[in-house]
Amino acid sequence: MGSVVAHWDPSGGLTPDAAVLAMKTMAAGLTSPGSTLEFDLTLFDSRCTRPQDYTYRVKLDGTGLLVVRESTVIDDADLRCDSTLWANQLFDPNCPIIGTSKDSAGPVGRFVAVYQASLQSVEN
């Protein structure tokens, strides 16, 4: 049987729940190195004709990562973006901080930095 070669398909993408599942799966053992990082994240799938927003409460503290989907969309979430773009933000260290977050020094930017650093430490 031949080997399977996996490649990234630029026409592909992730749904909001799939992006959150990937984030949680790759965060095994991740904890906040300092204060608790907590923010609201609204994701949508831009591949859909009429994308629907889903808001998640993200909390990273000394016990680990907790992500809970809210029952309603929070209009003033700390970040609203496409779910595939969010996954790229987390998993690609060359991806610049998403400009729609309130600021890169805020909880979203700090979370991305901690998350990417944890992935780098696993690779090394």
Side-chain angles (χ1 to χ4, degrees):
M1 181 176 226
S3 63
V4 176
V5 177
H7 63 88
W8 181 71
D9 179 359
S11 64
L14 295 171
T15 64
D17 282 343
V20 168
L21 179 60
M23 175 177 65
K24 289 168 62 175
T25 300
M26 297 301 291
L30 177 67
T31 58
S32 178
S35 62
T36 298
L37 300 174
E38 199 166 358
F39 59 94
D40 293 315
L41 172 67
T42 297
L43 299 176
F44 60 90
D45 188 342
S46 64
R47 298 170 299 164
C48 297
T49 306
R50 295 174 53 180
Q52 183 173 350
D53 285 351
Y54 298 92
T55 299
Y56 304 86
R57 185 75 181 155
V58 179
K59 180 179 180 181
L60 178 64
D61 61 17
T63 63
L65 177 64
L66 177 65
V67 184
V68 177
R69 188 161 99 175
E70 300 288 348
S71 58
T72 60
V73 173
I74 297 174
D75 292 331
D76 65 343
D78 295 285
L79 177 66
R80 180 183 181 273
C81 72
D82 172 72
S83 49
T84 300
L85 179 60
W86 174 247
N88 288 342
Q89 178 78 74
L90 294 176
F91 302 121
D92 181 357
N94 297 317
C95 184
I97 297 291
I98 297 171
T100 57
S101 63
K102 296 212 162 99
D103 67 80
S104 62
V108 175
R110 293 195 323 267
F111 175 82
V112 170
V114 167
Y115 196 93
Q116 287 181 349
S118 75
L119 294 179
Q120 293 297 322
S121 68
V122 170
E123 290 176 3
N124 294 331

